[in-house]
Amino acid sequence: MTAVPPPTSETSPQVSTVHGAVRGTLEQGVAVFRGIPYAAAPVGTRRFRAPEPPEPWEGVREAVAFGPTAPKRPYSPPLDRLLPDPDVPGDNCLNLNVWTPSPARTGLPVLVWIHGGSLLHGSSAVPVYDGAAFARDGVVLVSVNYRLGIEGFGVFPDAPANRGLLDQLAALAWVRDNISAFGGDPDLVTVCGESAGAISIAALLAAPRAKGLFRRAVLQSGAPTALRLDAAARRTTELIAKRLGVAATAGALAAVDPAQLLAAQTEVTSGGSPLTGGNSFQIVVDGDLLPRDPFEALLDGAANDVDLLMGTNSEEYRLWFVPSGLTERLSGIKLRLALLKFKVPGATARTYRANRPGATPGELLGALATDLLLRVPLNRVADARAGASGSTHLYEFGWPSPVLRLGACHALEIAFVFDTLDRPDAVALAGEDAPQELADAMHAAWVRFAASGDPGWPAWDTSRPVMGFGPGAPAVVSAPRDEELRGWAPYRRNT
């Protein structure tokens, strides 16, 4: 029998963190550490509480496999085929992963990835989030798990709100205290997220307790938003408790079997989407972590010293509207009712219709909703940062996926940012022939931004430059679709 050589620093890199030593793997020249706990398991007396530090360990902890994911269910059909969502069982879901060129390096820029998923789905184990390309290009990539659904964002009278956001804050504190041991610079941290991850980051930008934990931020397809701590914020929690026949308190729900709680959560929150609404979980203005609405705070100058990269996809809505058939099923009458409900100015609706000849009512509603919920508020934040010490850059992703006529839909840009177009989940959304040159350009822009705050195109000013990542070579456009944007001027974002 051939003897197996003992692990060495060349094959199994080892790092000492403040809680104990961890041993990772070397994969194609990149040192990878998976499943490192940044907080204690949120079970038992810690359930529905703010995160607490993990117990220190003796010896060397193996960090070669993704850690447990937060309790969740897969996306409902048909999205489950487009957005694979790995489930790793276990209690220690508050863990993170690190990809680094080498722990022996020093002063490298750090990118911390916070996944999306409507605060109900997702994890750091999604294959398209592999950080090897960032490490290859000199950036330490950290990806984070946090509590989801009622565990992370249920609103109770006897537990702190925004627990999932507190988890993210704890992960960023871990990065501050430990990332230098992995070759990263704790003073050169960029926090980056998509969808609910971007919404979370917008809240962290407005949270005084997060100040100093990151220098730069990237918001992909997510705008600042939060609910007041009122009946609307408690609604989803109360509906789940009612379905289970218990009081809507952390104490009562902590006694419920986790599988039953997750089943009730799925029943209550199914059937909606970020654009069409429905029962959901949201970040709330709790008066503690979030003393005020993050959108208002950013308009008033919060985090003006943080470099900011923000953007949207041209057809965000198509991820939800096309697979469900809503683009064809929505009638003209329902479109008019939706325009009334959301107080869309008539002139604005006519402009969108004129610019999209042949569009169905569902496509018109989707375009309006995309801009109302994402593009307009991000532009307003950019305008409010005029003269800020932190830079502001905007982009728009417009390459259309041929899969199921999804177009430039929500989440499509992620594989381009991570340069992971060959992963099965990327192929499911983008197809097998997605342009590698576009991934090269987009990934390089994110690397440059993490390193310097300049992704490679002019910062936001009165000419309103937007980098377009679409078919053909990336190009800067001044004030794209400005006529449509001006039509929203009378509309207040948080009504």
Side-chain angles (χ1 to χ4, degrees):
M1 179 180 293
T2 303
V4 177
T8 67
S9 59
E10 287 77 24
T11 59
S12 300
Q14 185 171 311
V15 166
S16 293
T17 75
V18 296
H19 300 110
V22 292
R23 181 162 47 228
T25 60
L26 195 66
E27 302 174 5
Q28 296 183 328
V30 170
V32 186
F33 302 81
R34 296 181 174 91
I36 304 173
Y38 66 83
V43 296
T45 59
R46 295 188 177 101
R47 197 174 178 200
F48 299 116
R49 301 298 174 191
E52 299 177 14
E55 293 291 332
W57 57 86
E58 300 292 333
V60 181
R61 185 187 187 107
E62 296 296 329
V64 298
F66 287 114
T69 52
K72 58 188 172 63
R73 288 283 182 86
Y75 288 92
S76 300
L79 288 184
D80 58 339
R81 299 193 300 273
L82 298 170
L83 301 173
D85 196 4
D87 184 37
V88 181
D91 292 333
N92 258 317
C93 65
L94 301 185
N95 60 75
L96 50 76
N97 319 294
V98 181
W99 285 260
T100 177
S102 170
R105 299 277 295 274
T106 59
L108 295 172
V110 181
L111 189 73
V112 179
W113 174 254
I114 298 178
H115 69 81
S118 303
L119 303 180
L120 282 168
H121 306 284
S123 78
S124 65
V126 173
V128 79
Y129 303 156
D130 188 289
F134 277 105
R136 175 199 69 200
D137 295 329
V139 176
V140 179
L141 190 286
V142 181
S143 59
V144 175
N145 283 344
Y146 56 96
R147 280 174 284 183
L148 304 170
I150 197 166
E151 301 275 358
F153 296 95
V155 179
F156 305 107
D158 55 339
N162 297 317
R163 293 172 300 282
L165 205 60
L166 290 169
D167 295 342
Q168 297 168 17
L169 197 65
L172 287 167
W174 184 97
V175 170
R176 176 197 61 201
D177 297 339
N178 292 281
I179 206 63
S180 59
F182 295 84
D185 185 346
D187 294 321
L188 200 57
V189 173
T190 299
V191 61
C192 177
E194 185 267 349
S195 194
I199 294 170
S200 296
I201 292 169
L204 292 172
L205 285 165
R209 287 161 59 182
K211 189 171 181 60
L213 290 176
F214 50 89
R215 180 183 293 191
R216 302 185 176 107
V218 183
L219 274 61
Q220 297 174 211
S221 302
T225 186
L227 295 178
R228 294 189 298 271
L229 195 54
D230 57 13
R234 293 189 292 269
R235 175 177 170 79
T236 300
T237 302
E238 291 174 346
L239 287 172
I240 292 171
K242 182 178 180 181
R243 186 171 290 267
L244 291 166
V246 300
T249 65
L253 285 167
V256 175
D257 175 76
Q260 287 183 304
L261 180 58
L262 195 56
Q265 172 181 289
T266 302
E267 292 168 359
V268 168
T269 58
S270 63
S273 81
L275 293 187
T276 58
N279 297 318
S280 63
F281 290 100
Q282 306 289 336
I283 292 168
V284 296
V285 180
D286 58 9
D288 179 19
L289 178 63
L290 274 185
R292 60 181 306 198
D293 179 273
F295 183 67
E296 294 176 355
L298 290 175
L299 291 186
D300 287 346
N304 267 2
D305 57 337
V306 176
D307 296 328
L308 199 53
L309 172 60
M310 307 181 290
T312 63
N313 296 355
S314 299
E315 300 172 297
E316 301 270 3
Y317 72 95
R318 295 186 76 86
L319 180 65
W320 298 284
F321 282 28
V322 173
S324 67
L326 191 59
T327 46
E328 285 75 32
R329 194 173 67 246
L330 190 81
S331 67
I333 293 175
K334 288 186 177 179
L335 171 62
R336 288 192 290 274
L337 292 174
L339 297 182
L340 290 172
K341 177 182 178 181
F342 293 107
K343 303 176 183 177
V344 177
T348 301
R350 288 190 292 273
T351 298
Y352 275 71
R353 186 176 288 109
N355 289 344
R356 294 163 179 79
T360 66
E363 289 170 331
L364 285 173
L365 178 61
L368 288 158
T370 291
D371 285 1
L372 170 63
L373 298 176
L374 293 172
R375 184 165 164 261
V376 171
L378 291 180
N379 272 262
R380 290 190 61 194
V381 169
D383 289 339
R385 287 169 57 90
S389 58
S391 65
T392 306
H393 293 82
L394 263 67
Y395 75 89
E396 182 170 335
F397 180 84
W399 180 80
S401 170
V403 176
L404 298 176
R405 300 181 299 106
L406 288 173
C409 70
H410 192 69
L412 181 62
E413 89 290 353
I414 299 173
F416 291 83
V417 168
F418 276 83
D419 190 12
T420 50
L421 290 176
D422 60 339
R423 302 305 192 274
D425 46 338
V427 173
L429 203 57
E432 296 181 349
D433 298 317
Q436 180 60 45
E437 61 273 16
L438 184 57
D440 293 341
M442 205 166 187
H443 173 75
W446 266 240
V447 169
R448 285 192 297 267
F449 182 76
S452 68
D454 181 0
W457 63 87
W460 192 255
D461 58 18
T462 54
S463 69
R464 307 170 73 81
V466 177
M467 172 59 83
F469 292 102
V476 176
V477 179
S478 293
R481 301 200 307 278
D482 196 45
E483 181 187 14
E484 293 179 352
L485 189 64
R486 287 198 307 269
W488 293 105
Y491 190 88
R492 295 296 299 177
R493 170 62 180 86
N494 359 349
T495 54

